Amino acid sequence: MKYMGFRKKGEDTPHIQLNESMNSFPEIPLNRRLYKNIDILKSAYKDCSDVVFRDFSIGSEINAVLLYIEGLSNIEEVDQHVLRPLIQLKSPENGPIFERAKKEISVSDIKEIYTIPDIFKQISIGNPIILIEKQTKGISVGLPKWEKRSIKEPDAESVIRGPREGFIETIRVNTSLLRRKIRHPLLKMKQINIGGYTETQVIVAYIEGLADNALVDEVTHRLKRIKIDGILESGYIEEMIQDCPFSPFPQLLNTERPDVAASCLLEGRIIILIDGTPITLIAPCTFASLLQAPEDYYNPFYISTFIRWLRYIFFFIALLAPSAYVAILTFHQEMLPTSLLLTIAENREQIPFPALVEAFMMEITFEALREAGVRLPKQVGAAVSIVGALVIGQAATAAGLVSPPMVMVVAITGIASFLMPRYATGISIRLLRFPIMILSGMLGLLGVMLGITTIVAHLCTIKSFGVPYLNSAAILKLSNLKDVLVRAPWWAMDTRPEFYSKDTTNLRREAENQRPSPSKGDGGS
């Protein structure tokens, strides 16, 4: 039903001048004349077919309007708990109508609103608005309802042993998942709205007493400093708040897993949740954390340590294997055994390109196949990436464009890059592999060492919210190295990493040492 208005003859229709952002709307207070408020709102929501103005009467005497957006509000609950009791309200003249109306609404989340911009913000998040004649304030009813995805394990961070749940696109569901993991009132969540048009909810979560107050203030300050028309994904925010935007290495971790976010909170780090995306950001970030996987902490420590060492070894293989192959074949053939050198020379006899060009051709082709496999549907993508690599590799070898050893080196490099637990880490390796290959083709192993030195020097200069990127390896203290090169037993990791917090009074995880002691037998019965 459309609102017909209660305008007197001769009165003009007011209008509101809309600016770029809700934050820049003029603070127009609600008028006692209901039709003036409705005219302002209708001028703002002109050509908005999903905005509904439903006029009704409270107790058949007092005019009122219900305002909501179709698809964002729970209409069934509104009819049952809002409209029906207000329409059936008897003798509204007994007592203030506004207070009586609030008491009749059987909804727990009710807010009073006083300005037109407050109405814009409330209905945009799904809360219906009730405006009453001769009242300079309205009622916001917390009855939002929108479609949301079910909670399931993230495809990009699947584990064999561990929780099978992940964040979704609804921010309040994500905060509830964190609350289920950490059931303590010291888990704080600050809300900030970012984006002139989107007004995206961003929540900064931390544990008071574990997180450094200066770090919390710095994260909050950087978020409030963002001026943009919209935030649609966490990548927008990540690019705007990181310390070194031109570095190929990620300076914030991202995850879809509530257990990973909860473990980082318990270390004193900060979680940034963004409405509309399941990807949450973690600050600060160190280089060691890029090679840590959630499953490291669910398996026995000796198995996790072995897998972590395997991960470190294949990190260097993924970064340096093609470059080392090009350098040795171009400048340092004496490093290979004679029999292997003769085999490689025989395979390369018909190859018209030098080793550097050959490596570039194969690496670019492999990257193209991998990207095609990601973009295509899952049923087709896997077949294209695997079959395409086999067919193209075999055809290129038969045509004499590349040698079999080069195909093997590129294949091992690709497998090594798949061992990286975080996608951003693999992207960094794939980017850095090409300049190191160029240096190796021009200078041999000296170029490889020059590339490694440049990367290490760059890593030494990076900071993530004031924490040096290589801090975990630079501070040669046993308590800080228990979760870097190895994964120590849980009873040995009795303190938190102190480089995430300057407060050293709350670093212990346990009240006492929980080291297990072997049971002593009674010598038999």
Side-chain angles (χ1 to χ4, degrees), residues 356-500:
L356 178 61
V357 176
E358 185 184 4
F360 255 92
M361 289 172 53
M362 287 301 299
E363 283 292 339
I364 293 175
T365 304
F366 189 85
E367 293 297 333
L369 287 172
R370 174 157 43 185
E371 196 66 19
V374 172
R375 304 303 167 201
L376 289 172
K378 291 183 179 180
Q379 296 84 353
V380 183
V384 168
S385 58
I386 296 174
V387 177
L390 292 174
V391 171
I392 293 178
Q394 181 65 31
T397 303
L401 298 177
V402 295
S403 61
M406 178 59 74
V407 175
M408 185 180 67
V409 169
V410 172
I412 294 175
T413 303
I415 294 174
S417 64
F418 292 144
L419 264 70
M420 301 302 104
R422 302 191 179 276
Y423 180 74
T425 310
I427 290 290
S428 302
I429 296 174
R430 290 157 63 183
L431 288 176
L432 294 172
R433 190 184 300 153
F434 291 98
I436 297 179
M437 285 170 54
I438 295 175
L439 290 174
S440 66
M442 294 189 302
L443 302 174
L445 289 180
L446 180 62
V448 176
M449 295 304 299
L450 179 61
I452 296 175
T453 305
T454 304
I455 292 174
V456 173
H458 173 68
L459 291 175
C460 292
T461 62
I462 299 178
K463 287 187 177 181
S464 176
F465 290 89
V467 176
Y469 212 55
L470 298 179
N471 208 352
S472 54
I475 301 179
L476 297 179
K477 190 175 181 180
L478 183 60
S479 59
N480 290 328
L481 297 177
K482 292 178 181 178
D483 195 23
V484 179
L485 297 179
V486 300
R487 204 281 274 175
W490 274 114
W491 44 261
M493 290 195 294
D494 54 351
T495 57
R496 298 180 180 85
E498 62 182 62
F499 42 82
Y500 291 136

Side-chain angles (χ1 to χ4, degrees), residues 211-409:
D212 189 2
N213 292 331
L215 178 60
V216 175
D217 295 339
E218 178 64 21
V219 172
T220 306
H221 172 69
R222 294 191 188 185
L223 290 174
K224 290 182 178 179
R225 200 171 54 189
I226 297 176
K227 302 298 180 183
I228 192 173
D229 56 356
I231 298 292
L232 303 179
E233 212 277 330
S234 59
Y236 287 55
I237 292 179
E238 181 178 5
E239 192 169 334
M240 291 184 176
I241 65 174
Q242 59 186 356
D243 292 69
C244 303
F246 296 103
S247 174
F249 292 95
Q251 289 135 62
L252 285 93
L253 294 178
N254 61 76
T255 184
E256 295 183 58
R257 299 185 61 89
D259 55 330
V260 174
S263 67
C264 292
L265 287 171
L266 293 172
E267 289 181 346
R269 292 197 259 185
I270 295 176
I271 308 298
I272 303 175
L273 300 102
I274 299 96
D275 191 25
T277 174
I279 307 296
T280 62
L281 303 177
I282 302 172
C285 169
T286 59
F287 180 77
S289 60
L290 297 178
L291 298 176
Q292 297 171 352
E295 214 165 5
D296 290 352
Y297 305 95
Y298 305 143
N299 290 320
F301 66 92
Y302 45 86
I303 296 177
S304 299
T305 300
F306 168 74
I307 295 176
R308 186 170 292 183
W309 269 99
L310 197 67
R311 213 174 283 140
Y312 276 105
I313 292 172
F314 275 85
F315 171 84
F316 289 103
I317 290 177
L319 181 64
L320 302 175
S323 304
Y325 180 80
V326 170
I328 291 174
L329 283 189
T330 307
F331 295 96
H332 313 284
Q333 297 89 346
E334 67 278 2
M335 296 181 63
L336 297 176
T338 304
S339 58
L340 178 59
L341 181 61
L342 291 175
T343 302
I344 295 176
E346 182 181 356
N347 289 322
R348 285 189 46 81
E349 185 176 3
Q350 303 298 326
I351 305 301
F353 306 110
L356 178 61
V357 176
E358 185 184 4
F360 255 92
M361 289 172 53
M362 287 301 299
E363 283 292 339
I364 293 175
T365 304
F366 189 85
E367 293 297 333
L369 287 172
R370 174 157 43 185
E371 196 66 19
V374 172
R375 304 303 167 201
L376 289 172
K378 291 183 179 180
Q379 296 84 353
V380 183
V384 168
S385 58
I386 296 174
V387 177
L390 292 174
V391 171
I392 293 178
Q394 181 65 31
T397 303
L401 298 177
V402 295
S403 61
M406 178 59 74
V407 175
M408 185 180 67
V409 169

Side-chain angles (χ1 to χ4, degrees), residues 32-254:
R32 287 178 57 86
R33 305 303 297 271
L34 180 59
Y35 76 88
K36 290 188 176 181
N37 298 325
I38 299 304
D39 287 340
I40 292 175
L41 293 170
K42 282 192 172 182
S43 68
Y45 286 111
K46 183 181 179 181
D47 297 329
C48 298
S49 59
D50 56 341
V51 179
V52 177
F53 293 83
R54 165 68 159 87
D55 64 302
F56 65 99
S57 297
I58 300 178
S60 302
E61 297 182 14
I62 300 176
N63 297 320
V65 170
L66 174 68
L67 174 64
Y68 63 92
I69 297 178
E70 284 187 297
L72 292 185
S73 300
N74 192 331
I75 304 305
E76 293 79 8
E77 296 292 331
V78 171
D79 291 341
Q80 181 178 355
H81 300 289
V82 179
L83 280 180
R84 181 177 299 175
L86 290 180
I87 292 175
Q88 296 176 355
L89 181 63
K90 296 181 180 180
S91 301
E93 66 277 0
N94 297 332
I97 183 58
F98 189 85
E99 298 301 327
R100 293 202 60 196
K102 285 179 59 178
K103 291 180 180 180
E104 290 296 325
I105 298 175
S106 57
V107 178
S108 59
D109 185 12
I110 294 180
K111 299 178 183 177
E112 295 182 2
I113 55 176
Y114 300 91
T115 64
I116 296 296
D118 290 339
I119 295 179
F120 295 153
K121 293 178 181 179
Q122 290 299 315
I123 67 170
S124 66
I125 60 177
N127 293 337
I129 303 296
I130 298 174
L131 300 177
I132 305 173
E133 181 70 37
K134 297 182 180 180
Q135 299 295 323
T136 58
K137 52 186 176 181
I139 302 174
S140 171
V141 185
L143 290 175
K145 180 184 179 182
W146 51 80
E147 297 298 325
K148 59 184 179 181
R149 183 167 57 92
S150 61
I151 298 174
K152 64 177 184 178
E153 183 179 13
D155 295 333
E157 294 182 81
S158 60
V159 295
I160 297 176
R161 179 176 181 177
R164 296 292 192 270
E165 60 183 7
F167 290 128
I168 63 173
E169 287 75 13
T170 306
I171 193 168
R172 283 307 169 191
V173 175
N174 297 341
T175 57
S176 66
L177 291 174
L178 280 181
R179 289 286 183 188
R180 286 179 55 192
K181 299 288 183 183
I182 303 177
R183 306 175 183 180
H184 201 285
L186 288 180
L187 174 58
K188 308 299 181 182
M189 296 188 180
K190 294 183 178 180
Q191 179 175 325
I192 303 171
N193 289 350
I194 304 177
Y197 287 102
T198 60
E199 283 285 311
T200 305
Q201 296 182 47
V202 178
I203 290 181
V204 178
Y206 62 97
I207 298 180
E208 188 176 4
L210 298 186
D212 189 2
N213 292 331
L215 178 60
V216 175
D217 295 339
E218 178 64 21
V219 172
T220 306
H221 172 69
R222 294 191 188 185
L223 290 174
K224 290 182 178 179
R225 200 171 54 189
I226 297 176
K227 302 298 180 183
I228 192 173
D229 56 356
I231 298 292
L232 303 179
E233 212 277 330
S234 59
Y236 287 55
I237 292 179
E238 181 178 5
E239 192 169 334
M240 291 184 176
I241 65 174
Q242 59 186 356
D243 292 69
C244 303
F246 296 103
S247 174
F249 292 95
Q251 289 135 62
L252 285 93
L253 294 178
N254 61 76

